[in-house]
Structures are given as C-alpha cells and as structure tokens.
Amino acid sequence: MPTVAFGAYETWYRVTGRLEQGGRPPVVVIHGGPGSTHDYLLNLAVLADLGWPVVHYDQLGNGASTHLPDQDAGFWTVDLFLAELDNLLEQLGAAGNYVLLGHSWGGMLGARHAAARPPGLRGLVVADAPASYPLWLREAARLRAALPEGVDAALRAHEEAGTTGTEEYFAVMRAYYDRHVCRISPWPREYLASFMEMHNDPTVYYAMNGPSEFHVVGSLRDWSVVEDLPSIDVPTLVVSGRHDEATEATVRPYRDLVPRARWEILEESSHVPHLEEPERFLTLLAEFLLELG
C-alpha cells in the first residue's frame, strides 16, 4: 500500500490519474469525521477521466494509515491534521499546484488550510461542512426536535445515562442519520465501509467529536473557522444538501465571508450529495475545475 512517512507514523494515500509537473492540478480529497476514511468519497476518482488527478488519503488514526488507539485525547488536534495534510502535499510533490476538496470536518480543515494562503492552492471545494461546531450543535438540536415523536427523548436518555455505545442507541440514532446524513436506503457500500471503519476504531471520532453526529462532546465542540474565512483568497465552491445536517445556517458563513465563494444546494440530498445526486455533484465540480483554468 502506498504511504508517506509522517514523523513516526504513516499516511496512506491513493492517486487516480498521473501527477505531472505542468499538468492540471490534482484534486486532494479530505474526508470527514474526524475519524472516518476515504472510502465514501471514492466516486470522486472519476475526475481523473476528465483530466484532473485525484488524491485520496486516510487521516492518521484511521483506515490504512497508522492507528493509535492508546493515544490520549489531547494528541488529536486540528494542528496535527493540518501538519499531516501539508506533509502529504510536500511528499507527493503537489504543494506547488493543487485543489482541495474537503467534506464535512474535512471542509473545515480545508478552510483553515486555505486561510493561510499557501501559494500552490488553486481552488477550494467545501462540501457539506459547517463553519463552526457551535452552529452545528444549535442546528442539530433543532433537527433532533423535528424527528418523529419520542426519538429525541430516547436519544437524550441514552446520552444522559452514558449508554451511547449500545445497539439501542444506534437503532434510535438511525432516524436522524437516514433523514439528514444519507437518505439512500440501504446505505451505499462505500458509505457503509467508512461507517464501519470508524465503528471498528472510534479513537479519533470519540476524542474530537463524540459518540454521534449530533452529540458533539469532544475537543471540537467549540471549534470554528468563521474567523478564517475572509482570509481565503482562492475561488471557492460551497456545496450542501437541502436536507443536510450541515444546514443552511451552518454553511452560510462560507458564502457570506469567503470573498470568491459561490454556494450550490442540491435539492434531493442530505450530507453526502456526491452519493445521493452524483451526476449533479460531479457536473458542478467539473464546471468549477474548468473555471480555474
């Protein structure tokens, strides 16, 4: 398996297409979580057929990268994953010419990276990402309250009892996920693969996020990139779904504060429009990439 060294650890990556000096910039895909894997974003590799190489990677602690289940929660920081991204770009020789596509947490990470104005960044895609976790939590409470009668109360009972690791909590949680995370039934194989990878080793997810998408009690609970957004100086495509857990209120700061941003909402999608409306998503993405030149 191809990996690059990241200090004492290894970051797994996959390149679809050819990385060539002077060619079109590769699209570097940052997965969500934190604590997920690249699998659910693999269909983006089709961009290579249109001339843009695609780089997928698994962030440290997940997938085929080094797992560190015994690390304490304080090890897992935003700066760690920013450094890992910088290292990957340098090791692959892509740091001088690349596009970032970040999904969910990966979109926030990409925004923080872009705000530093790295000279090789040509464009940014922020997909289904909140601009802050306080906004995310406020909107999650609203979405939970609108679930079928009794669901939110059952979720709260488990959260207060500390039984969020049980099958019962997972079963109730699905009402939220099926409405606001992935509306395809059954879940697509690639989405399920990432979900199960995170379930099998939830070290990073539990430390930084918490036991579920809507019960964020980890280190990211107060994190925001709102203050970074005016510093982003590359063309930026913002994408979200009409039924997304990353609601319009959580996404709007990107449109309002990034100087060169435009926002597209996919009407039949929730949190994974690249799977729920793949043709529309990929068309928007290809048009954006062509505009970059």
Side-chain angles (χ1 to χ4, degrees):
M1 295 187 297
T3 62
V4 297
F6 175 48
Y9 314 118
E10 299 287 334
T11 300
W12 175 92
Y13 70 93
R14 163 181 168 159
V15 177
T16 307
R18 296 183 62 183
L19 299 177
E20 296 178 343
Q21 296 294 329
R24 280 178 166 169
V27 179
V28 180
V29 181
I30 313 173
H31 66 69
S36 186
T37 64
H38 76 285
D39 302 82
Y40 75 102
L41 293 158
L42 266 176
N43 72 334
L44 301 180
V46 72
L47 291 170
D49 294 337
L50 305 176
W52 286 276
V54 179
V55 178
H56 288 90
Y57 74 104
D58 286 335
Q59 294 163 24
L60 187 65
N62 302 286
S65 293
T66 304
H67 285 239
L68 298 162
D70 297 325
Q71 284 287 359
D72 63 69
F75 175 82
W76 305 104
T77 65
V78 172
D79 286 345
L80 173 73
F81 291 106
L82 287 170
E84 182 184 35
L85 174 59
D86 287 342
N87 179 70
L88 179 72
L89 292 169
E90 289 290 343
Q91 295 282 348
L92 295 184
N97 186 37
Y98 63 101
V99 176
L100 282 186
L101 186 156
H103 178 262
S104 196
W105 135 265
M108 297 181 75
L109 196 70
R112 173 62 60 87
H113 174 92
R117 300 191 174 185
L121 181 63
R122 301 291 174 250
L124 174 67
V125 181
V126 176
D128 313 279
S132 86
Y133 276 92
L135 279 175
W136 175 273
L137 286 167
R138 188 189 73 192
E139 288 295 285
R142 181 178 66 81
L143 296 177
R144 281 174 55 149
L147 292 172
E149 186 175 356
V151 171
D152 192 35
L155 290 169
R156 290 184 187 281
H158 281 287
E159 290 158 4
E160 291 168 4
T163 54
T164 55
T166 63
E167 291 297 324
E168 291 81 4
Y169 182 76
F170 176 78
V172 180
M173 183 181 76
R174 278 294 298 262
Y176 185 98
Y177 279 54
D178 290 344
R179 184 177 290 191
H180 298 298
V181 183
C182 182
R183 293 168 69 86
I184 303 170
S185 182
W187 283 350
R189 181 168 51 184
E190 57 268 51
Y191 176 77
L192 189 59
S194 285
F195 188 90
M196 293 310 298
E197 286 272 9
M198 191 161 59
H199 175 76
N200 290 337
D201 184 355
T203 303
V204 181
Y205 190 67
Y206 282 3
M208 299 185 76
N209 187 85
S212 69
E213 292 291 282
F214 45 77
H215 189 51
V216 181
V217 293
S219 61
L220 292 179
R221 61 188 177 275
D222 298 318
W223 188 51
S224 171
V225 296
V226 171
E227 67 278 6
D228 298 302
L229 302 183
S231 297
I232 297 173
D233 66 346
V234 294
T236 300
L237 173 64
V238 182
V239 182
S240 61
R242 180 65 68 189
H243 309 282
D244 208 323
E245 61 177 338
T247 66
E248 293 181 38
T250 73
V251 174
R252 189 171 295 114
Y254 292 103
R255 194 275 312 273
D256 291 347
L257 298 175
V258 177
R260 300 163 68 186
R262 81 165 188 263
W263 183 13
E264 299 282 352
I265 299 175
L266 280 74
E267 295 295 332
E268 304 302 321
S269 294
S270 59
H271 197 52
V272 286
H274 64 284
L275 297 176
E276 294 163 303
E277 295 181 71
E279 290 185 6
R280 175 64 175 150
F281 186 92
L282 290 167
T283 295
L284 288 171
L285 190 51
E287 291 173 350
F288 174 73
L289 292 171
L290 282 169
E291 290 168 6
L292 297 178

